[in-house]
């Protein structure tokens, strides 16, 4: 399924009045995981700005021990500080990478802004080296823009 075909499905999930916010987030994780071959782990982390930590939210994929990540640590922690997308074509080449699984080869993290504040991020791991393109970034920015409307 193309990113263009996925956009109305994402909107439909966010506009579903019978689901809670976490149910919507989990539905988006499932949709992306099932629709994009190289999206092997899809999840959200949310920021606690007082403690400068990220906390695992809804996700789909292998279990992770990384339920709390300090700002600055790993790819997700760096995005919490930089407020910028981070595409990692090969996690083995990253010094500040928190290893989740030996099957993870690449990662993309896109921050989630609500009223100009970075409240969290969508995090996607892939078992493929260098699969993410600018199209992935633009699509995930769209996803986060839609998600921001439910906060």
């Amino acid at each position: 399924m193309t990113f263009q075909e996925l956009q109305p499905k994402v909107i439909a999930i966010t506009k579903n009045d019978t689901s809670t916010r976490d149910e919507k987030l989990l539905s988006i994780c499932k949709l992306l995981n099932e629709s994009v071959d190289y999206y092997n782990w899809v999840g959200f982390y949310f920021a606690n700005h007082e403690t400068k930590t990220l906390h695992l939210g809804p996700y789909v994929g292998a279990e992770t021990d990384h339920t709390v990540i300090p700002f600055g640590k790993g790819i997700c922690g760096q995005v919490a500080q930089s407020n910028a997308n981070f595409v990692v074509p090969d996690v083995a080449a990253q010094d500040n990478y928190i290893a989740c699984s030996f099957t993870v080869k690449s990662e993309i993290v896109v921050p989630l802004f609500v009223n100009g504040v970075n409240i969290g991020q969508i995090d996607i791991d892939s078992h493929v080296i260098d699969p993410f393109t600018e199209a992935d970034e633009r699509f995930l920015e769209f996803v986060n823009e839609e998600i921001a409307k439910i906060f």
Side-chain angles (χ1 to χ4, degrees):
M1 193 174 299
T2 68
F3 292 140
Q4 191 169 1
E5 292 169 319
L6 286 171
Q7 286 181 348
K9 295 180 182 297
V10 169
I11 292 168
I13 290 169
T14 61
K15 291 189 183 242
N16 180 343
D17 292 335
T18 62
S19 297
T20 66
R21 182 169 39 210
D22 277 356
E23 289 169 340
K24 292 175 185 181
L25 293 171
L26 184 59
S27 292
I28 287 172
C29 291
K30 288 178 182 175
L31 174 69
L32 301 186
N33 180 254
E34 292 167 2
S35 302
V36 183
D37 289 345
Y38 53 93
Y39 285 14
N40 302 115
W41 190 97
V42 179
F44 291 93
Y45 282 93
F46 291 98
N48 179 325
H49 291 281
E50 289 180 21
T51 60
K52 296 203 178 308
T53 52
L54 293 166
H55 297 265
L56 183 63
Y59 73 94
V60 171
E63 280 194 46
T64 180
D65 292 334
H66 305 118
T67 58
V68 179
I69 300 173
F71 284 14
K73 184 135 174 75
I75 308 309
C76 291
Q78 290 176 74
V79 169
Q81 288 185 317
S82 72
N83 295 322
N85 298 352
F86 198 161
V87 179
V88 182
D90 181 357
V91 296
Q94 279 294 316
D95 291 338
N96 192 10
Y97 174 69
I98 303 172
C100 299
S101 164
F102 68 92
T103 59
V104 176
K105 305 294 184 206
S106 57
E107 182 173 11
I108 184 171
V109 180
V110 176
L112 171 59
F113 296 98
V114 174
N115 299 321
V117 176
N118 181 350
I119 66 154
Q121 54 204 231
I122 189 167
D123 177 20
I124 298 177
D125 293 343
S126 179
H127 299 163
V128 179
I129 288 182
D130 199 15
F132 304 113
T133 67
E134 189 175 327
D136 291 276
E137 286 189 76
R138 298 298 82 81
F139 172 67
L140 295 172
E141 288 167 354
F142 164 83
V143 169
N144 279 355
E145 287 167 12
E146 292 304 313
I147 289 170
K149 296 173 184 175
I150 64 174
F151 279 85

